Short mmCIF file of all heavy atoms in Angstrom, two decimals:
data_model
loop_
_atom_site.label_atom_id
_atom_site.label_comp_id
_atom_site.label_asym_id
_atom_site.label_seq_id
_atom_site.Cartn_x
_atom_site.Cartn_y
_atom_site.Cartn_z
N LYS A 3 -23.06 125.50 154.60
CA LYS A 3 -22.48 124.40 155.35
C LYS A 3 -21.03 124.19 154.90
O LYS A 3 -20.11 123.95 155.69
CB LYS A 3 -23.29 123.14 155.11
CG LYS A 3 -22.82 121.89 155.82
CD LYS A 3 -23.08 121.98 157.32
CE LYS A 3 -22.86 120.67 158.02
NZ LYS A 3 -23.87 119.62 157.64
N MET A 4 -20.82 124.30 153.58
CA MET A 4 -19.47 124.11 153.05
C MET A 4 -18.54 125.22 153.55
O MET A 4 -17.39 124.97 153.96
CB MET A 4 -19.49 124.09 151.50
CG MET A 4 -18.12 123.81 150.90
SD MET A 4 -18.21 123.76 149.11
CE MET A 4 -19.32 122.38 148.86
N LYS A 5 -19.04 126.46 153.56
CA LYS A 5 -18.22 127.57 154.04
C LYS A 5 -17.87 127.36 155.51
O LYS A 5 -16.80 127.62 155.96
CB LYS A 5 -19.00 128.87 153.87
CG LYS A 5 -19.07 129.38 152.47
CD LYS A 5 -20.01 130.54 152.35
CE LYS A 5 -19.53 131.76 153.11
NZ LYS A 5 -20.48 132.88 153.02
N LYS A 6 -18.86 126.90 156.29
CA LYS A 6 -18.68 126.69 157.74
C LYS A 6 -17.62 125.61 157.93
O LYS A 6 -16.73 125.78 158.77
CB LYS A 6 -19.98 126.29 158.35
CG LYS A 6 -19.96 126.18 159.86
CD LYS A 6 -21.20 125.55 160.42
CE LYS A 6 -22.43 126.15 159.85
NZ LYS A 6 -23.66 125.42 160.27
N ASN A 7 -17.73 124.51 157.21
CA ASN A 7 -16.75 123.46 157.38
C ASN A 7 -15.35 123.93 156.97
O ASN A 7 -14.38 123.56 157.60
CB ASN A 7 -17.16 122.25 156.51
CG ASN A 7 -18.37 121.56 157.06
OD1 ASN A 7 -18.81 121.82 158.18
ND2 ASN A 7 -18.95 120.65 156.28
N SER A 8 -15.29 124.77 155.94
CA SER A 8 -14.00 125.28 155.49
C SER A 8 -13.37 126.19 156.59
O SER A 8 -12.17 126.13 156.81
CB SER A 8 -14.15 126.09 154.21
OG SER A 8 -14.64 125.27 153.16
N TYR A 9 -14.21 126.91 157.27
CA TYR A 9 -13.70 127.79 158.34
C TYR A 9 -13.08 126.95 159.45
O TYR A 9 -12.00 127.20 159.87
CB TYR A 9 -14.83 128.64 158.88
CG TYR A 9 -14.45 129.41 160.07
CD1 TYR A 9 -13.68 130.60 160.00
CD2 TYR A 9 -14.85 129.01 161.38
CE1 TYR A 9 -13.35 131.30 161.10
CE2 TYR A 9 -14.48 129.72 162.51
CZ TYR A 9 -13.73 130.87 162.33
OH TYR A 9 -13.41 131.57 163.47
N PHE A 10 -13.83 125.93 159.91
CA PHE A 10 -13.30 125.13 160.97
C PHE A 10 -12.13 124.25 160.52
O PHE A 10 -11.24 123.96 161.28
CB PHE A 10 -14.40 124.24 161.59
CG PHE A 10 -15.37 125.00 162.41
CD1 PHE A 10 -16.70 125.12 162.03
CD2 PHE A 10 -14.96 125.66 163.53
CE1 PHE A 10 -17.59 125.84 162.81
CE2 PHE A 10 -15.84 126.41 164.31
CZ PHE A 10 -17.17 126.48 163.94
N LEU A 11 -12.15 123.85 159.23
CA LEU A 11 -11.00 123.09 158.71
C LEU A 11 -9.75 123.98 158.74
O LEU A 11 -8.66 123.50 159.06
CB LEU A 11 -11.31 122.65 157.27
CG LEU A 11 -10.21 121.82 156.60
CD1 LEU A 11 -9.86 120.59 157.40
CD2 LEU A 11 -10.59 121.44 155.17
N MET A 12 -9.91 125.26 158.38
CA MET A 12 -8.79 126.17 158.43
C MET A 12 -8.25 126.27 159.86
O MET A 12 -7.03 126.27 160.08
CB MET A 12 -9.22 127.58 157.98
CG MET A 12 -8.14 128.62 158.04
SD MET A 12 -8.69 130.24 157.50
CE MET A 12 -9.83 130.69 158.77
N LEU A 13 -9.14 126.32 160.85
CA LEU A 13 -8.72 126.37 162.26
C LEU A 13 -7.97 125.09 162.59
O LEU A 13 -6.93 125.13 163.27
CB LEU A 13 -9.95 126.51 163.15
CG LEU A 13 -9.70 126.46 164.66
CD1 LEU A 13 -8.75 127.55 165.07
CD2 LEU A 13 -11.03 126.63 165.38
N TRP A 14 -8.52 123.93 162.19
CA TRP A 14 -7.84 122.64 162.47
C TRP A 14 -6.45 122.61 161.87
O TRP A 14 -5.49 122.21 162.53
CB TRP A 14 -8.71 121.53 161.90
CG TRP A 14 -8.03 120.18 162.01
CD1 TRP A 14 -7.18 119.58 161.13
CD2 TRP A 14 -8.14 119.25 163.07
NE1 TRP A 14 -6.76 118.38 161.55
CE2 TRP A 14 -7.38 118.13 162.75
CE3 TRP A 14 -8.86 119.24 164.30
CZ2 TRP A 14 -7.23 117.04 163.59
CZ3 TRP A 14 -8.78 118.15 165.10
CH2 TRP A 14 -7.94 117.08 164.77
N LEU A 15 -6.33 123.04 160.62
CA LEU A 15 -5.03 122.99 159.97
C LEU A 15 -4.03 123.93 160.63
O LEU A 15 -2.86 123.60 160.79
CB LEU A 15 -5.19 123.35 158.49
CG LEU A 15 -5.93 122.30 157.63
CD1 LEU A 15 -6.16 122.88 156.23
CD2 LEU A 15 -5.13 121.01 157.54
N MET A 16 -4.53 125.10 161.07
CA MET A 16 -3.63 126.02 161.77
C MET A 16 -3.10 125.38 163.05
O MET A 16 -1.91 125.50 163.37
CB MET A 16 -4.40 127.33 162.08
CG MET A 16 -3.54 128.39 162.75
SD MET A 16 -3.35 128.21 164.50
CE MET A 16 -5.05 128.49 165.03
N LEU A 17 -4.00 124.71 163.78
CA LEU A 17 -3.55 124.06 165.01
C LEU A 17 -2.64 122.88 164.72
O LEU A 17 -1.65 122.65 165.42
CB LEU A 17 -4.77 123.59 165.81
CG LEU A 17 -5.60 124.70 166.47
CD1 LEU A 17 -6.88 124.11 166.99
CD2 LEU A 17 -4.85 125.33 167.61
N ALA A 18 -3.02 122.10 163.72
CA ALA A 18 -2.29 120.89 163.45
C ALA A 18 -0.88 121.11 162.95
O ALA A 18 0.04 120.33 163.22
CB ALA A 18 -3.08 120.03 162.43
N THR A 19 -0.68 122.20 162.21
CA THR A 19 0.63 122.41 161.60
C THR A 19 1.48 123.46 162.36
O THR A 19 2.66 123.60 162.11
CB THR A 19 0.48 122.89 160.17
OG1 THR A 19 -0.31 124.12 160.14
CG2 THR A 19 -0.25 121.86 159.34
N GLY A 20 0.83 124.18 163.29
CA GLY A 20 1.58 125.22 164.05
C GLY A 20 2.54 124.60 165.04
O GLY A 20 2.20 123.63 165.71
N ALA A 21 3.70 125.15 165.12
CA ALA A 21 4.67 124.65 166.10
C ALA A 21 4.19 124.93 167.52
O ALA A 21 3.67 126.01 167.81
CB ALA A 21 6.03 125.32 165.90
#
Side-chain angles (χ1 to χ4, degrees):
K3 180 73 169 291
M4 184 178 297
K5 286 170 65 181
K6 186 191 310 175
N7 290 348
S8 297
Y9 172 78
F10 286 116
L11 180 59
M12 178 180 68
L13 175 60
W14 173 272
L15 290 173
M16 184 278 292
L17 288 169
T19 60

